[in-house]
Amino acid sequence: MCGIVGYVGPRDAAPILIEGLRRLEYRGYDSAGIAVMTANGKVFIEKKAGKLTNLTEHLNGDTPAGGPGIGHTRWATHGLPNDTNAHPHADCTGQLALIHNGIIENYVEIKARLVAEGHRFISETDTEVLAHLIETKYHGDLVEAVRAALGEVRGAYAIGVMHTDHPERIVGARMNVPLIVGLGDGEGFLASDVPAILEHTKNVVILHEGDIADVTPTGTRILSLDGTEVQRDTTEIRWDIEAAEKGGFPHFTLKEIYEQPHAIQESLRGRVAANGSVRLTELDGVADRLREIDRVYIVGCGTASYAAHVAAYLIQEWVGIPATMQVGSEMRYSPPPLDERTLVIGVSQSGETADTLAPLKLAAERGAAIVVVTNVVGSAITRAADAVCYLQAGPEIAVASTKAFVTQVLVLQMIALHLAGLRGTMPSNRIRTYGLALRTLPRLAAQTLKLAPQIKKLAQRFAGARDFIFIGRGVGFPIAMEGALKLKELSYVHAEGYAAGELKHGPIALLDPETPLVAIATQGAIYEKVASNVAEARARSAPVIAIATEGDDQIDHYAQDVIYVPETPEAISPVIAVLPLQILAYEIAVARGTDVDQPRNLAKSVTVE
Ligand code: G6P
């Protein structure tokens, strides 16, 4: 995905755009660029491959006065991440500049037509066709030209467009990719996400699919693709820009790791009562459907898929119906049976991951009930849903997920308990016991984070390892996979997560004295089995690091290094067991000198399939 930002108003646009891009860089960092209308009515465009700092160093503070302006930070899809393919793109006249997040699926045919008509293309991007297509439709009315052009394209887009004939206007449009309008005092903004404009305004309009926004300093008009004017609500953002700052931490990743006790607290708020009873009022509207369902699929990508995996185990155990995790990118094209008696739970921090959205839409078409778990208010996934449960974790800026994962697991645990209560599959006193255990998690998480110095020392010892193996069983298995993914993402060290019992069926061949094995060996029904799997690894001379429960006096027979975490019921344990793994990955990454907050090749969420 990419980040886009736009400004129209009395101030110079360039500094506002560059600051906005800095806050959007988590969305992609293959290139950055800005376009600004200068005082003499020309469009100034500067763009550079690589991170935003390449652009700002190149500009060296020498940005033109004037506005409006648009800016873009790219996660490359079509065309190499070089200067030419960087956005903004211009039309043949050089009067129109455009930025785009998404993919234009029919760009090849449109491009061929435009080339035949004599348009000159400079880049290899799909985006450039939009600039030229709008040019062909332009007869003085920019909004109308954008509308006419978008009528011919297929795919996903959030765009920002400016034209030298319109010094008081930027035009935005959205389809399947987020875009918001910021309403300032005598100024207007466009942005992919709130942090880009939060220091200027807290009043935003979250555009709907197919909306076209005509943003001017005096107000914004919104049209649908068929040209009719539509009204959209203004949302007041309730968090401050400090929430999107590092606040003294060296990295967002570390800040977000330490925010977890608070994020857990916020996630629990209003959902688990003081007596432990669990109820998510968000699900009241779908209660009848939840009583009727006979199977559950929980879908997500990357980290979210591991949270989904934990939930599948718990729903199956507590609700007694088949529940499986589905990887978003697979489910759409190899769908399981879906009908009105199916519940599909979509899990996505950003709420805009295309691979997760696509199967949810398919499931909705086939009549399934859709519940989503997301962090971003008004995100695309919420529109595909019958009910929405927000993480309430606050903004997550670091590309690799930490507090969103923990709160995803937590919200899914609460959904599982809610379902068990609704369907009478678990006695209410047992639900309350789990609810009370959930209420201890903010304190236990804070206690676990105090292990950071011990984990840092371990990380420094193992920072040179080439491969890591993570194992866990039951709900510990997805945690092993999340631990491995975190290490891969943050430090680029090869790591794999396996079901502990599977180790002996193949992966054990990888073990040697140079390959650390990280075992999730917290207390639970199958603790002894995991301990045996650890022993098997130890016998092959692998250095073993165990995550075990405080008071375990057995595990140090098998593992040289043990990280003791506070005790919880087994079903709740993933929330705590994952914390040392996050710190381990973070500290190994720091020791290896990688770009922790913005790992190479990644973007925080990916809006293409
Ligand atoms: C990207 C990120 C991952 C993330 C995944 C799902 O691939 O790099 O860290 O887990 O998207 O993101 P979501 O916003 O849907 O939870």
Side-chain angles (χ1 to χ4, degrees):
M1 67 180 180
C2 307
I4 73 176
V5 60
Y7 173 75
V8 58
R11 291 190 278 163
D12 287 340
I16 296 171
L17 300 175
I18 288 171
E19 182 55 22
L21 290 180
R22 189 175 72 74
R23 296 186 184 280
L24 289 178
E25 216 181 2
Y26 73 88
R27 301 179 65 87
Y29 28 87
D30 286 331
S31 63
I34 57 169
V36 172
M37 196 184 303
T38 59
N40 62 5
K42 296 262 187 307
V43 178
F44 164 94
I45 296 183
E46 195 59 79
K47 47 193 193 172
K48 279 274 158 246
K51 289 195 161 201
L52 179 64
T53 47
N54 288 3
L55 175 71
T56 51
E57 276 164 22
H58 175 77
L59 287 167
N60 199 16
D62 188 15
T63 51
I70 52 179
H72 186 270
T73 179
R74 179 169 185 239
W75 186 75
T77 59
H78 292 58
L80 292 173
N82 58 27
D83 292 356
T84 313
N85 290 330
H87 302 210
H89 292 284
D91 67 350
C92 293
T93 68
Q95 287 187 283
L96 178 147
L98 176 142
I99 47 176
H100 168 223
N101 170 29
I103 285 188
I104 304 304
E105 285 165 4
N106 56 340
Y107 86 101
V108 174
E109 61 188 77
I110 298 176
K111 185 169 177 175
R113 198 179 78 211
L114 292 169
V115 168
E117 286 170 14
H119 288 267
R120 295 179 314 279
F121 280 79
I122 295 164
S123 77
E124 304 156 300
T125 63
D126 54 331
T127 299
E128 200 181 352
V129 300
L130 285 175
H132 293 279
L133 190 60
I134 297 170
E135 178 188 355
T136 65
K137 308 286 181 190
Y138 181 70
H139 309 290
D141 184 339
L142 185 60
V143 179
E144 186 48 33
V146 168
R147 194 180 74 77
L150 292 178
E152 293 184 15
V153 305
R154 282 196 315 274
Y157 52 76
I159 59 170
V161 191
M162 55 186 264
H163 194 289
T164 53
D165 290 348
H166 301 270
E168 297 280 283
R169 159 171 290 129
I170 46 176
V171 179
R174 162 186 181 159
M175 182 68 80
N176 297 327
V177 175
L179 187 64
I180 59 172
V181 176
L183 307 172
D185 188 8
E187 49 191 13
F189 304 84
L190 279 174
S192 298
D193 195 3
V194 172
I197 55 174
L198 192 58
E199 66 180 300
H200 308 296
T201 178
K202 288 196 161 191
N203 296 320
V204 305
V205 175
I206 300 169
L207 295 178
H208 293 198
E209 311 305 357
D211 281 357
I212 299 167
D214 178 15
V215 184
T216 71
T218 50
T220 293
R221 195 167 54 102
I222 301 173
L223 307 174
S224 62
L225 271 179
D226 66 12
T228 50
E229 204 161 322
V230 289
Q231 299 302 320
R232 299 287 178 229
D233 295 338
T234 303
T235 304
E236 195 192 334
I237 303 302
R238 294 187 185 278
W239 44 275
D240 292 322
I241 196 65
E242 289 72 42
E245 302 277 6
K246 285 186 203 158
F249 285 91
H251 297 104
F252 280 112
T253 308
L254 192 63
K255 177 188 175 226
E256 288 160 9
I257 287 173
Y258 277 96
E259 279 173 349
Q260 291 179 111
H262 179 67
I264 293 169
Q265 183 82 61
E266 289 302 306
S267 252
L268 291 169
R269 195 178 294 285
R271 291 166 167 164
V272 182
N275 71 354
S277 63
V278 179
R279 182 167 154 217
L280 282 76
T281 50
E282 306 94 309
L283 300 179
D284 286 353
V286 288
D288 290 342
R289 298 212 58 194
L290 296 181
R291 280 194 196 93
E292 296 300 311
I293 50 155
D294 60 13
R295 60 177 172 271
V296 185
Y297 300 111
I298 309 136
V299 56
C301 294
T303 288
S305 74
Y306 301 135
H309 199 150
V310 173
Y313 283 168
L314 297 183
I315 292 174
Q316 214 156 249
E317 187 186 330
W318 291 343
V319 189
I321 51 177
T324 53
M325 182 277 281
Q326 299 276 322
V327 172
S329 54
E330 286 293 307
M331 182 177 171
R332 169 75 179 80
Y333 300 101
S334 306
L338 295 159
D339 60 26
E340 333 40 71
R341 291 170 71 88
T342 313
L343 168 64
V344 178
I345 304 178
V347 188
S348 172
Q349 188 285 131
S350 62
E352 55 176 288
T353 300
D355 283 330
T356 304
L357 288 174
L360 287 181
K361 284 183 185 153
L362 175 80
E365 275 161 32
R366 299 205 177 159
I370 312 289
V371 170
V372 300
V373 175
T374 184
N375 202 24
V376 179
V377 175
S379 55
I381 202 172
T382 64
R383 292 188 221 295
D386 298 307
V388 181
C389 301
Y390 285 109
L391 300 180
Q392 299 170 188
E396 189 180 69
I397 309 288
V399 166
S401 185
T402 53
K403 66 174 179 173
F405 174 75
V406 157
T407 49
Q408 280 164 355
V409 171
L410 182 64
V411 170
L412 289 163
Q413 286 166 335
M414 291 189 280
I415 291 176
L417 289 169
H418 179 100
L419 277 176
L422 194 72
R423 296 168 63 106
T425 53
M426 193 193 277
S428 50
N429 60 345
R430 207 165 145 230
I431 294 180
R432 285 201 299 274
T433 305
Y434 277 123
L436 291 173
L438 292 176
R439 285 174 67 96
T440 65
L441 286 174
R443 181 172 53 79
L444 299 187
Q447 204 176 314
T448 308
L449 293 175
K450 293 207 176 102
L451 299 168
Q454 181 201 351
I455 301 168
K456 182 174 181 175
K457 280 199 196 116
L458 264 179
Q460 285 165 343
R461 250 173 56 217
F462 287 108
R466 229 186 49 173
D467 307 282
F468 274 74
I469 306 288
F470 289 69
I471 57 168
R473 258 178 125 135
V475 289
F477 170 34
I479 297 308
M481 291 194 285
E482 170 60 6
L485 180 65
K486 215 69 331 168
L487 188 60
K488 282 185 263 208
E489 287 179 312
L490 294 184
S491 71
Y492 317 151
V493 173
H494 175 242
E496 298 300 335
Y498 292 105
E502 285 295 296
L503 191 68
K504 57 186 174 299
H505 297 302
I508 200 163
L510 299 171
L511 294 182
D512 64 24
E514 312 304 319
T515 307
L517 179 98
V518 182
I520 318 303
T522 45
Q523 287 302 320
I526 41 174
Y527 166 79
E528 281 166 11
K529 303 266 186 235
V530 179
S532 305
N533 301 139
V534 173
E536 289 150 19
R538 188 70 206 111
R540 272 78 189 173
S541 304
V544 176
I545 303 167
I547 312 297
T549 308
E550 280 170 4
D552 180 341
D553 54 6
Q554 297 296 310
I555 195 72
D556 58 354
H557 299 155
Y558 311 112
Q560 294 96 321
D561 291 288
V562 184
I563 299 164
Y564 292 100
V565 296
E567 185 169 5
T568 60
E570 184 180 3
I572 310 294
S573 65
V575 171
I576 296 300
V578 76
L579 304 178
L581 306 185
Q582 296 169 343
I583 300 171
L584 184 71
Y586 172 79
E587 292 295 353
I588 290 179
V590 170
R592 293 174 70 102
T594 56
D595 190 342
V596 177
D597 282 342
Q598 296 175 344
R600 68 185 180 202
N601 305 338
L602 296 179
K604 181 127 189 80
S605 90
V606 183
T607 50
V608 293
E609 278 187 66

Short mmCIF file of all heavy atoms in Angstrom, two decimals, residues 519-558:
data_model
loop_
_atom_site.label_atom_id
_atom_site.label_comp_id
_atom_site.label_asym_id
_atom_site.label_seq_id
_atom_site.Cartn_x
_atom_site.Cartn_y
_atom_site.Cartn_z
N ALA A 519 11.10 -22.62 22.81
CA ALA A 519 9.94 -23.47 23.09
C ALA A 519 8.95 -22.73 23.98
O ALA A 519 9.32 -22.17 25.01
CB ALA A 519 10.39 -24.75 23.80
N ILE A 520 7.68 -22.72 23.53
CA ILE A 520 6.61 -22.18 24.38
C ILE A 520 6.18 -23.33 25.26
O ILE A 520 5.49 -24.26 24.82
CB ILE A 520 5.40 -21.68 23.55
CG1 ILE A 520 5.84 -20.93 22.29
CG2 ILE A 520 4.44 -20.86 24.41
CD1 ILE A 520 6.72 -19.76 22.53
N ALA A 521 6.63 -23.29 26.51
CA ALA A 521 6.42 -24.44 27.41
C ALA A 521 5.73 -23.97 28.69
O ALA A 521 6.10 -24.36 29.80
CB ALA A 521 7.76 -25.10 27.72
N THR A 522 4.71 -23.13 28.52
CA THR A 522 3.95 -22.68 29.69
C THR A 522 3.04 -23.80 30.17
O THR A 522 2.77 -24.75 29.44
CB THR A 522 3.12 -21.42 29.33
OG1 THR A 522 2.50 -21.64 28.07
CG2 THR A 522 4.00 -20.19 29.25
N GLN A 523 2.57 -23.68 31.42
CA GLN A 523 1.75 -24.75 32.00
C GLN A 523 0.45 -24.94 31.25
O GLN A 523 -0.18 -23.98 30.81
CB GLN A 523 1.43 -24.43 33.47
CG GLN A 523 2.61 -24.60 34.41
CD GLN A 523 3.19 -26.01 34.39
OE1 GLN A 523 2.47 -27.00 34.34
NE2 GLN A 523 4.52 -26.11 34.43
N GLY A 524 0.05 -26.20 31.10
CA GLY A 524 -1.20 -26.51 30.41
C GLY A 524 -1.35 -28.00 30.30
O GLY A 524 -0.47 -28.77 30.74
N ALA A 525 -2.44 -28.42 29.67
CA ALA A 525 -2.77 -29.84 29.61
C ALA A 525 -1.68 -30.66 28.95
O ALA A 525 -1.50 -31.83 29.27
CB ALA A 525 -4.09 -30.01 28.88
N ILE A 526 -0.95 -30.06 28.00
CA ILE A 526 0.03 -30.85 27.27
C ILE A 526 1.46 -30.40 27.57
O ILE A 526 2.37 -30.61 26.78
CB ILE A 526 -0.25 -30.81 25.75
CG1 ILE A 526 -0.64 -29.40 25.35
CG2 ILE A 526 -1.29 -31.85 25.36
CD1 ILE A 526 -0.79 -29.22 23.88
N TYR A 527 1.62 -29.80 28.74
CA TYR A 527 2.95 -29.33 29.12
C TYR A 527 3.99 -30.44 29.00
O TYR A 527 5.08 -30.25 28.44
CB TYR A 527 2.91 -28.77 30.55
CG TYR A 527 4.29 -28.57 31.13
CD1 TYR A 527 5.06 -27.46 30.76
CD2 TYR A 527 4.85 -29.51 32.00
CE1 TYR A 527 6.34 -27.28 31.27
CE2 TYR A 527 6.13 -29.34 32.51
CZ TYR A 527 6.88 -28.23 32.14
OH TYR A 527 8.14 -28.06 32.61
N GLU A 528 3.64 -31.62 29.52
CA GLU A 528 4.64 -32.70 29.53
C GLU A 528 5.04 -33.14 28.14
O GLU A 528 6.19 -33.50 27.89
CB GLU A 528 4.13 -33.88 30.35
CG GLU A 528 4.32 -33.59 31.82
CD GLU A 528 3.56 -34.52 32.73
OE1 GLU A 528 3.06 -35.54 32.23
OE2 GLU A 528 3.49 -34.21 33.92
N LYS A 529 4.06 -33.09 27.23
CA LYS A 529 4.38 -33.45 25.84
C LYS A 529 5.36 -32.43 25.25
O LYS A 529 6.31 -32.80 24.55
CB LYS A 529 3.11 -33.46 24.98
CG LYS A 529 2.05 -34.39 25.47
CD LYS A 529 2.15 -35.74 24.78
CE LYS A 529 1.00 -36.62 25.18
NZ LYS A 529 1.38 -37.89 25.73
N VAL A 530 5.10 -31.15 25.54
CA VAL A 530 6.01 -30.12 25.02
C VAL A 530 7.40 -30.34 25.62
O VAL A 530 8.41 -30.27 24.92
CB VAL A 530 5.50 -28.69 25.34
CG1 VAL A 530 6.48 -27.63 24.82
CG2 VAL A 530 4.13 -28.45 24.74
N ALA A 531 7.43 -30.63 26.93
CA ALA A 531 8.72 -30.85 27.59
C ALA A 531 9.48 -32.01 26.91
O ALA A 531 10.69 -31.93 26.71
CB ALA A 531 8.49 -31.15 29.08
N SER A 532 8.75 -33.04 26.50
CA SER A 532 9.41 -34.16 25.80
C SER A 532 9.97 -33.68 24.47
O SER A 532 11.07 -34.06 24.07
CB SER A 532 8.43 -35.29 25.52
OG SER A 532 7.83 -35.69 26.70
N ASN A 533 9.19 -32.86 23.77
CA ASN A 533 9.67 -32.34 22.48
C ASN A 533 10.92 -31.49 22.68
O ASN A 533 11.84 -31.52 21.87
CB ASN A 533 8.57 -31.52 21.78
CG ASN A 533 7.30 -32.32 21.52
OD1 ASN A 533 6.19 -31.81 21.70
ND2 ASN A 533 7.44 -33.59 21.14
N VAL A 534 10.94 -30.75 23.78
CA VAL A 534 12.11 -29.93 24.08
C VAL A 534 13.31 -30.85 24.35
O VAL A 534 14.42 -30.61 23.87
CB VAL A 534 11.84 -29.00 25.28
CG1 VAL A 534 13.10 -28.27 25.70
CG2 VAL A 534 10.74 -28.00 24.95
N ALA A 535 13.05 -31.92 25.11
CA ALA A 535 14.13 -32.86 25.43
C ALA A 535 14.72 -33.47 24.15
O ALA A 535 15.94 -33.64 24.02
CB ALA A 535 13.61 -33.95 26.35
N GLU A 536 13.84 -33.77 23.20
CA GLU A 536 14.31 -34.34 21.92
C GLU A 536 15.27 -33.37 21.21
O GLU A 536 16.26 -33.77 20.61
CB GLU A 536 13.11 -34.63 21.00
CG GLU A 536 12.23 -35.79 21.45
CD GLU A 536 10.76 -35.64 21.05
OE1 GLU A 536 10.45 -34.86 20.14
OE2 GLU A 536 9.92 -36.30 21.68
N ALA A 537 14.94 -32.10 21.31
CA ALA A 537 15.79 -31.08 20.68
C ALA A 537 17.11 -30.96 21.43
O ALA A 537 18.18 -30.87 20.82
CB ALA A 537 15.06 -29.75 20.66
N ARG A 538 17.00 -30.97 22.74
CA ARG A 538 18.20 -30.82 23.59
C ARG A 538 19.19 -31.96 23.30
O ARG A 538 20.40 -31.75 23.25
CB ARG A 538 17.75 -30.83 25.05
CG ARG A 538 18.80 -30.51 26.03
CD ARG A 538 19.21 -29.04 25.96
NE ARG A 538 20.58 -28.90 26.44
CZ ARG A 538 21.62 -28.59 25.69
NH1 ARG A 538 21.48 -28.35 24.39
NH2 ARG A 538 22.82 -28.48 26.20
N ALA A 539 18.61 -33.15 23.08
CA ALA A 539 19.46 -34.31 22.80
C ALA A 539 20.21 -34.14 21.49
O ALA A 539 21.16 -34.86 21.22
CB ALA A 539 18.60 -35.57 22.77
N ARG A 540 19.75 -33.24 20.65
CA ARG A 540 20.47 -32.96 19.38
C ARG A 540 21.37 -31.73 19.54
O ARG A 540 21.73 -31.08 18.55
CB ARG A 540 19.47 -32.72 18.25
CG ARG A 540 19.04 -33.97 17.52
CD ARG A 540 18.01 -34.72 18.32
NE ARG A 540 17.71 -36.05 17.78
CZ ARG A 540 16.92 -36.92 18.39
NH1 ARG A 540 16.41 -36.65 19.57
NH2 ARG A 540 16.69 -38.09 17.85
N SER A 541 21.65 -31.35 20.77
CA SER A 541 22.59 -30.27 21.09
C SER A 541 22.13 -28.88 20.69
O SER A 541 22.94 -27.96 20.63
CB SER A 541 23.96 -30.53 20.44
OG SER A 541 24.44 -31.77 20.83
N ALA A 542 20.84 -28.72 20.40
CA ALA A 542 20.37 -27.37 20.07
C ALA A 542 20.31 -26.55 21.36
O ALA A 542 19.87 -27.06 22.39
CB ALA A 542 18.99 -27.44 19.44
N PRO A 543 20.75 -25.29 21.31
CA PRO A 543 20.55 -24.44 22.49
C PRO A 543 19.05 -24.16 22.65
O PRO A 543 18.40 -23.76 21.69
CB PRO A 543 21.28 -23.14 22.13
CG PRO A 543 21.88 -23.33 20.78
CD PRO A 543 21.38 -24.59 20.19
N VAL A 544 18.52 -24.42 23.85
CA VAL A 544 17.08 -24.27 24.03
C VAL A 544 16.77 -23.08 24.94
O VAL A 544 17.33 -22.95 26.02
CB VAL A 544 16.46 -25.55 24.65
CG1 VAL A 544 14.97 -25.34 24.92
CG2 VAL A 544 16.68 -26.74 23.72
N ILE A 545 15.87 -22.23 24.45
CA ILE A 545 15.33 -21.13 25.26
C ILE A 545 13.87 -21.47 25.50
O ILE A 545 13.12 -21.66 24.53
CB ILE A 545 15.41 -19.79 24.50
CG1 ILE A 545 16.85 -19.48 24.08
CG2 ILE A 545 14.82 -18.66 25.33
CD1 ILE A 545 16.97 -18.36 23.06
N ALA A 546 13.47 -21.60 26.76
CA ALA A 546 12.07 -21.95 27.03
C ALA A 546 11.32 -20.77 27.62
O ALA A 546 11.87 -20.01 28.43
CB ALA A 546 12.00 -23.13 27.98
N ILE A 547 10.09 -20.61 27.18
CA ILE A 547 9.17 -19.67 27.84
C ILE A 547 8.32 -20.55 28.75
O ILE A 547 7.53 -21.38 28.26
CB ILE A 547 8.25 -18.94 26.83
CG1 ILE A 547 9.05 -18.39 25.64
CG2 ILE A 547 7.42 -17.87 27.53
CD1 ILE A 547 10.06 -17.33 25.98
N ALA A 548 8.51 -20.44 30.05
CA ALA A 548 7.83 -21.34 30.99
C ALA A 548 7.11 -20.52 32.06
O ALA A 548 7.29 -19.30 32.16
CB ALA A 548 8.85 -22.26 31.64
N THR A 549 6.30 -21.24 32.84
CA THR A 549 5.50 -20.57 33.86
C THR A 549 6.30 -20.46 35.16
O THR A 549 7.00 -21.41 35.54
CB THR A 549 4.21 -21.37 34.10
OG1 THR A 549 3.58 -21.58 32.84
CG2 THR A 549 3.25 -20.64 35.02
N GLU A 550 6.15 -19.33 35.83
CA GLU A 550 6.81 -19.16 37.13
C GLU A 550 6.49 -20.35 38.03
O GLU A 550 5.34 -20.79 38.06
CB GLU A 550 6.28 -17.89 37.81
CG GLU A 550 6.92 -16.62 37.30
CD GLU A 550 6.18 -15.38 37.82
OE1 GLU A 550 5.23 -15.52 38.61
OE2 GLU A 550 6.56 -14.28 37.38
N GLY A 551 7.47 -20.85 38.73
CA GLY A 551 7.24 -21.97 39.63
C GLY A 551 7.53 -23.32 38.97
O GLY A 551 7.55 -24.35 39.66
N ASP A 552 7.78 -23.34 37.67
CA ASP A 552 8.10 -24.60 36.98
C ASP A 552 9.53 -25.02 37.38
O ASP A 552 10.50 -24.32 37.04
CB ASP A 552 7.99 -24.38 35.46
CG ASP A 552 8.31 -25.63 34.66
OD1 ASP A 552 8.94 -26.55 35.20
OD2 ASP A 552 7.95 -25.67 33.48
N ASP A 553 9.64 -26.15 38.09
CA ASP A 553 10.99 -26.55 38.52
C ASP A 553 11.53 -27.72 37.69
O ASP A 553 12.49 -28.37 38.06
CB ASP A 553 11.00 -26.88 40.03
CG ASP A 553 9.95 -27.92 40.37
OD1 ASP A 553 9.31 -28.45 39.42
OD2 ASP A 553 9.74 -28.20 41.56
N GLN A 554 10.86 -28.00 36.58
CA GLN A 554 11.29 -29.09 35.70
C GLN A 554 12.04 -28.61 34.47
O GLN A 554 12.99 -29.23 34.01
CB GLN A 554 10.05 -29.87 35.21
CG GLN A 554 9.27 -30.54 36.31
CD GLN A 554 10.11 -31.61 37.00
OE1 GLN A 554 10.70 -32.46 36.34
NE2 GLN A 554 10.19 -31.52 38.33
N ILE A 555 11.58 -27.49 33.96
CA ILE A 555 11.97 -27.10 32.60
C ILE A 555 13.47 -26.86 32.47
O ILE A 555 14.06 -27.08 31.42
CB ILE A 555 11.15 -25.87 32.12
CG1 ILE A 555 11.26 -25.67 30.62
CG2 ILE A 555 11.53 -24.59 32.85
CD1 ILE A 555 10.52 -26.68 29.81
N ASP A 556 14.11 -26.43 33.57
CA ASP A 556 15.53 -26.14 33.43
C ASP A 556 16.38 -27.42 33.30
O ASP A 556 17.58 -27.35 33.07
CB ASP A 556 16.05 -25.22 34.55
CG ASP A 556 15.82 -25.80 35.91
OD1 ASP A 556 15.17 -26.86 36.00
OD2 ASP A 556 16.29 -25.19 36.89
N HIS A 557 15.73 -28.59 33.39
CA HIS A 557 16.46 -29.82 33.06
C HIS A 557 16.65 -29.93 31.55
O HIS A 557 17.52 -30.63 31.07
CB HIS A 557 15.70 -31.07 33.55
CG HIS A 557 15.53 -31.08 35.03
ND1 HIS A 557 14.52 -31.75 35.68
CD2 HIS A 557 16.23 -30.47 36.01
CE1 HIS A 557 14.60 -31.56 36.98
NE2 HIS A 557 15.65 -30.78 37.21
N TYR A 558 15.78 -29.29 30.82
CA TYR A 558 15.80 -29.43 29.36
C TYR A 558 16.36 -28.20 28.66
O TYR A 558 16.83 -28.30 27.54
CB TYR A 558 14.38 -29.65 28.82
CG TYR A 558 13.59 -30.72 29.54
CD1 TYR A 558 12.48 -30.38 30.31
CD2 TYR A 558 13.97 -32.06 29.43
CE1 TYR A 558 11.76 -31.36 30.95
CE2 TYR A 558 13.24 -33.04 30.08
CZ TYR A 558 12.13 -32.68 30.84
OH TYR A 558 11.42 -33.65 31.49
#
